[in-house]
Amino acid sequence: MSEGKDCGGGDALSNGIKKHRTSLPSPMFSRNDFSIWSILRKCIGMELSKITMPVIFNEPLSFLQRLTEYMEHTYLIHKASSLSDPVERMQCVAAFAVSAVASQWERTGKPFNPLLGETYELVRDDLGFRLISEQVSHHPPISAFHAEGLNNDFIFHGSIYPKLKFWGKSVEAEPKGTITLELLEHNEAYTWTNPTCCVHNIIVGKLWIEQYGNVEITNHRTGDKCVLNFKPCGLFGKELHKVEGYIQDKSKKKLCALYGKWTECLYSVDPATFEAYKKNDKRNTEEKKNSKQMSNSEESDEMPMPDSESVFVIPGSVLLWRIAPRPPNSAQMYNFTNFAMVLNEVDKEMESVIPKTDCRLRPDIRAMENGEIDQASEEKKRLEEKQRAARKNRSKSEEDWKTRWFHQGPNPYNGAQDWIYSGSYWDRNYFNLPDIY
């Protein structure tokens, strides 16, 4: 690993900007010798948050850090802020919502379940934001986050309650909870929920991921909506990774069509042009079908091969977003992006200011990142037992858990149940924090 020298805190400065690490301290372990079936066969149809999984199936990040990957393409929010046309702003917000799930492509390791009271902060001067998140509930597991632009141009916040279910060959994660983006200069707020994520071939074969379901983004000031359909891949894989939809005004008039793949890119085009292309594409597909003798074999869980790796660009389209390439060592590093690679880095200066609840200080994740799998397993078990004992003590004294940085309340824009940032985290005054590690 030639990049090994970058594995520490990455505190070297390049042009005054902090230089981040480009590799993890140790490559991932092979999961080939472990059978997930032996654990999961007892759990069909159950909620997976109640099942203890061996550490080998994890990736060395907490779910709070994984959530932070929404922020990888923050430039799309800054761009939306700079635009005067509300439809163009909605295009950027839609591209940001699609880009937020792009990092999940080929990420088949499970993030560590956050402990109650666990926190995570990320400050990225180069990307223009800072974020704080907290695990506000253990049963059900709820993670709340609040990010803000360093130039006071936006606030992005939400709470996620991932409902995980095991269906025999696949694990489905339905990310319940509202996501809100406020563009402060335009006095605008957008809300949406993420699509469902499914990991296939849990038992045998190559693991693969798809996202499906409708995502509806609402601009609460103008009444415009963007309805995006993340398509299930279908029997022959033609729809694999595809996303398409429309931006419409409050009278449901289509203002613009969007299409692409959540693993690659998103384009916008005039709705009439898009519909003409779709009609023609459908005709071609039906002709192909008629000329082939279709086998009526049972639907396979194997990953279908898409018709082509890239998106066909309809003439007249405008590119809204394209995924950044993964680093060359990504496959040995849990398929992390460059952004994910730095989420758990810590240096002496940072260690002296972050609260003791920050997941960079979690010993099981730190051990796994360093390639110490047995120690990671022992630490994970110890932390889970410590959490159970603390819960037992609270129930004896009838004491309720108090969240520190977030409070429960309705979302100010759609009224849904939500968790709202209470403020004062960045004052760095961390007294009476729980001892969770």
Side-chain angles (χ1 to χ4, degrees), residues 28-276:
M28 68 181 278
F29 276 74
S30 165
R31 298 187 178 118
N32 296 345
D33 302 335
F34 297 85
S35 162
I36 199 165
W37 177 236
S38 59
I39 303 135
L40 288 183
R41 61 184 169 194
K42 310 177 191 91
C43 315
I44 291 180
M46 278 172 67
E47 259 226 62
L48 284 191
S49 59
K50 299 185 170 67
I51 299 156
T52 303
M53 298 288 281
V55 79
I56 194 73
F57 297 113
N58 284 81
E59 59 175 26
L61 290 177
S62 165
F63 183 71
L64 293 183
Q65 292 166 307
R66 185 84 177 249
L67 264 186
T68 307
E69 293 185 56
Y70 286 169
M71 304 304 294
E72 181 171 353
H73 303 273
T74 304
Y75 73 88
L76 291 164
I77 302 180
H78 296 309
K79 187 178 175 190
S81 280
S82 73
L83 295 166
S84 56
D85 180 341
V87 178
E88 288 182 5
R89 287 199 294 276
M90 178 65 98
Q91 288 177 353
C92 282
V93 173
F96 177 72
V98 172
S99 78
V101 299
S103 66
Q104 295 186 22
W105 178 51
E106 295 194 324
R107 289 279 288 286
T108 50
K110 179 183 177 296
F112 282 71
N113 292 336
L115 302 164
L116 187 59
E118 185 171 307
T119 60
Y120 180 67
E121 70 166 72
L122 187 66
V123 182
R124 287 291 297 259
D125 296 325
D126 53 337
L127 302 177
F129 77 85
R130 64 182 187 179
L131 173 143
I132 160 67
S133 55
E134 178 182 6
Q135 190 68 4
V136 291
S137 169
H138 184 61
H139 282 310
I142 302 175
S143 311
F145 67 91
H146 179 95
E148 51 201 42
L150 296 178
N151 298 325
N152 295 318
D153 54 343
F154 75 87
I155 292 173
F156 177 59
H157 58 94
S159 49
I160 301 288
Y161 161 20
K163 258 196 129 145
L164 293 160
K165 284 215 165 157
F166 173 53
W167 294 116
K169 289 181 182 176
S170 60
V171 170
E172 193 176 70
E174 190 188 344
K176 290 184 169 297
T178 299
I179 291 172
T180 304
L181 172 64
E182 300 174 35
L183 298 180
L184 302 177
E185 289 165 36
H186 300 283
N187 195 24
E188 251 172 13
Y190 302 80
T191 58
W192 68 92
T193 52
N194 277 330
T196 294
C197 178
C198 188
V199 183
H200 293 272
N201 286 349
I202 289 296
I203 315 308
V204 288
K206 183 172 161 43
L207 291 169
W208 63 281
I209 288 176
E210 68 172 331
Q211 310 265 356
Y212 45 75
N214 284 335
V215 169
E216 191 172 285
I217 306 168
T218 303
N219 178 335
H220 291 272
R221 187 176 67 82
T222 62
D224 292 353
K225 280 191 176 169
C226 175
V227 181
L228 291 172
N229 178 224
F230 285 71
K231 294 176 167 278
C233 77
L235 190 52
F236 297 95
K238 189 167 164 49
E239 307 287 273
L240 186 64
H241 303 151
K242 277 192 181 175
V243 182
E244 56 186 50
Y246 295 94
I247 295 173
Q248 55 196 40
D249 65 18
K250 56 183 172 214
S251 62
K252 297 207 168 166
K253 182 188 172 210
K254 290 175 180 172
L255 306 172
C256 154
L258 303 177
Y259 67 95
K261 289 186 178 181
W262 61 267
T263 51
E264 273 184 58
C265 56
L266 193 71
Y267 286 89
S268 73
V269 73
D270 171 73
T273 310
F274 182 67
E275 276 156 23

Side-chain angles (χ1 to χ4, degrees), residues 8-9 18 20-21 60-65 68 112 115 118-124 129-133 339-370 383 425-426 428 430 436-437:
K18 182 174 167 177
H20 293 282
R21 69 184 185 182
L61 290 177
S62 165
F63 183 71
L64 293 183
Q65 292 166 307
T68 307
F112 282 71
L115 302 164
E118 185 171 307
T119 60
Y120 180 67
E121 70 166 72
L122 187 66
V123 182
R124 287 291 297 259
F129 77 85
R130 64 182 187 179
L131 173 143
I132 160 67
S133 55
F339 185 87
M341 210 79 87
V342 308
L343 290 174
N344 205 43
E345 73 179 355
V346 65
D347 55 42
K348 286 281 174 278
E349 189 189 339
M350 188 193 292
E351 215 167 336
S352 65
V353 295
I354 59 177
K356 63 179 184 178
T357 50
D358 193 288
C359 35
R360 289 179 184 87
L361 307 176
R362 251 184 91 155
D364 51 354
I365 297 178
R366 185 60 58 199
M368 185 175 195
E369 184 181 272
N370 290 330
L383 293 176
Y425 175 87
W426 301 105
R428 301 286 185 206
Y430 305 133
I436 55 175
Y437 303 145

Side-chain angles (χ1 to χ4, degrees), residues 279-381:
K279 210 181 244 178
N280 193 32
D281 188 47
K282 195 178 176 191
R283 203 164 41 237
N284 291 344
T285 305
E286 276 165 7
E287 278 169 18
K288 263 192 215 164
K289 271 186 188 170
N290 294 337
S291 67
K292 270 188 200 165
Q293 199 55 44
M294 298 295 245
S295 73
N296 58 356
S297 62
E298 191 187 324
E299 185 167 344
S300 159
D301 215 42
E302 286 306 305
M303 178 172 175
M305 293 313 292
D307 275 8
S308 68
E309 254 323 286
S310 319
V311 170
F312 174 79
V313 182
I314 303 165
S317 299
V318 174
L319 178 69
L320 301 175
W321 160 78
R322 184 178 294 288
I323 197 166
R326 299 253 168 124
N329 57 348
S330 180
Q332 291 82 51
M333 303 279 157
Y334 305 89
N335 288 316
F336 280 8
T337 60
N338 282 313
F339 185 87
M341 210 79 87
V342 308
L343 290 174
N344 205 43
E345 73 179 355
V346 65
D347 55 42
K348 286 281 174 278
E349 189 189 339
M350 188 193 292
E351 215 167 336
S352 65
V353 295
I354 59 177
K356 63 179 184 178
T357 50
D358 193 288
C359 35
R360 289 179 184 87
L361 307 176
R362 251 184 91 155
D364 51 354
I365 297 178
R366 185 60 58 199
M368 185 175 195
E369 184 181 272
N370 290 330
E372 296 155 353
I373 207 85
D374 292 340
Q375 191 186 338
S377 189
E378 281 164 31
E379 286 291 351
K380 180 171 177 272
K381 199 173 161 197

